[in-house]
Amino acid sequence: MPHEPTPDPLTAPDATAPRALMTVTGADRPGVTAHLFAALASDGDGRPAVEVLDVEQVVVHGHLALGVVVGALGTGQPAEAERELLDHLRRVGREVEAAVGVRVAVESASGPDAPITGGRAHHVIVLGRPVPPEAVAGAAQAIAGAGGNIDAIRRLSDVPVTSFEFTVSGAEATALRTALASVATSTGADIAVEQVGIARRSKRLIVLDVDSTLVRGEVIDELAARAGRAAEVARITAAAMNGELDFAESLRARVAVLAGLPEAVLDEVREHLVLTPGARTLIRTLQRLGFRCGIVSGGFTQITDPLAESLGLDFAAANTLEVRGGRLTGGLVGEIVDRPGKARALIRFAEQYGIPLDQTVAVGDGANDLDMLSTAGLGIAFNAKPFVREQAHTALNQPYLDAVLQVLGFTRDEVLDARGHDQGTRS
């Protein structure tokens, strides 16, 4: 059996060798980048040998900004080698300016003033409708204050929310989140922080809470209204969602007041459910991207199972109301899906599809979602109570559920591409 040859060892860039930054700006047009690198590659007497160390390019509304870090190869006195490199790159710059009508600036990138990066990189996503300038300014100041450097900024979306992604290096995650949390509070923008890495785009399963997350309102409150006990149940629900009451205990108390309601009331409530704006877009997009999608609810299977079927979801878990003789008894059947039960459901579904927990996403709004949010690889508090926002990995306070896609790093163009030609009304 033939052996694979051992590759020749590669030489790392010489950190002491001279290097320079070329910055190209101007109206974007085909061929600018090609002209620049062709000029760098052309042979000529006395031209120093160079290598490309870094490249960044962005086009904003037809205006090009291209940065290239070029290092010198070969030997020689450092001062002389740097002078030769800079002279060479300035000649290249003039050639490119004459050929394609852009501006080329050349400066040294060597020595003690050269940028130094360290620590794990993070994505900082700023979302809002609109995004006020003070949110961007505050985020930038907070990043600097936490010892971070903004390496890149790109727009992720303009619909349904405007969102920008900062790539940040050099800052520690906890300090970054703490600094940015105060900016989000003071400006009204949502600011999420995620570690850069393959794990961000490797998410493959999402679980959504139902009441006040996937759908507007609380089903139990709607049922209680039909029993004439709306105010009483609403108070218990609010206390449970704020973490002031044990969820299982509060659930039994709320269900008890439903005793005697005809089973047909469940159909009435289900027919009047209103999806949160962007819910269908989120689910359809993630399904086309290969996600397993499902719901885990402290509500009731008589509501959630038909909902899951209508949305084409892969799984659903919820409580089951006891029914006898066509009427609700005020009791429950089977295991209660409470705060720890939601986390167990997430684990069960992930195991069912062979997906590691760090590749899962959970979205919810109440205290009973906290275990599920912390168990998932990414837990997102959606229009949540303050108690929940403080403990989740990140929080969204926008009214659109598909803003979750931007937290996951998907751009608006990628969302439209995943949807293909299905450009119906957002819902």
Side-chain angles (χ1 to χ4, degrees), residues 192-211:
V193 179
E194 291 188 67
Q195 188 170 288
V196 171
I198 194 171
R200 187 189 192 202
R201 284 298 190 99
S202 67
K203 300 292 189 293
R204 297 165 52 202
L205 180 147
I206 187 169
V207 294
L208 301 164
D209 174 46
V210 176
D211 296 334

Side-chain angles (χ1 to χ4, degrees), residues 275-354:
L275 290 175
T276 298
R280 204 179 299 275
T281 297
L282 172 66
I283 291 169
R284 286 177 175 173
T285 301
L286 292 180
Q287 286 174 331
R288 289 188 172 98
L289 292 170
F291 272 63
R292 295 290 184 175
C293 303
I295 50 180
V296 177
S297 173
F300 312 112
T301 57
Q302 288 95 336
I303 303 292
T304 58
D305 285 353
L307 177 62
E309 183 178 359
S310 69
L311 292 172
L313 300 180
D314 297 293
F315 52 84
N319 299 292
T320 299
L321 293 167
E322 185 179 50
V323 179
R324 291 180 186 169
R327 292 187 176 272
L328 305 187
T329 67
L332 295 164
V333 178
E335 178 186 359
I336 289 182
V337 180
D338 55 4
R339 176 170 166 170
K342 284 193 165 189
R344 288 194 297 270
L346 165 62
I347 294 169
R348 183 169 69 251
F349 292 132
E351 290 176 345
Q352 177 182 341
Y353 293 106

Side-chain angles (χ1 to χ4, degrees), residues 210-211 214-216 218-223 226 262-275 280 295 300-311 321 323 328:
V210 176
D211 296 334
L214 181 63
V215 302
R216 290 177 165 175
E218 299 282 332
V219 167
I220 186 71
D221 292 348
E222 294 296 325
L223 293 172
R226 285 162 172 78
E263 185 178 11
V265 166
L266 296 171
D267 296 328
E268 294 175 14
V269 170
R270 186 174 62 247
E271 289 171 2
H272 287 86
L273 288 178
V274 177
L275 290 175
R280 204 179 299 275
I295 50 180
F300 312 112
T301 57
Q302 288 95 336
I303 303 292
T304 58
D305 285 353
L307 177 62
E309 183 178 359
S310 69
L311 292 172
L321 293 167
V323 179
L328 305 187

Side-chain angles (χ1 to χ4, degrees), residues 20-36:
L21 170 65
M22 303 185 74
T23 305
V24 182
T25 58
D28 187 38
R29 65 194 69 187
V32 174
T33 305
H35 272 91
L36 174 65

Side-chain angles (χ1 to χ4, degrees), residues 118 120 122 124 138-149 168-181 193:
R120 295 300 301 267
H122 292 84
V124 173
Q141 292 166 359
I143 290 166
N149 182 68
V168 176
S169 61
E172 191 271 329
T174 301
L176 196 58
R177 287 192 172 95
T178 301
L180 289 166
V193 179

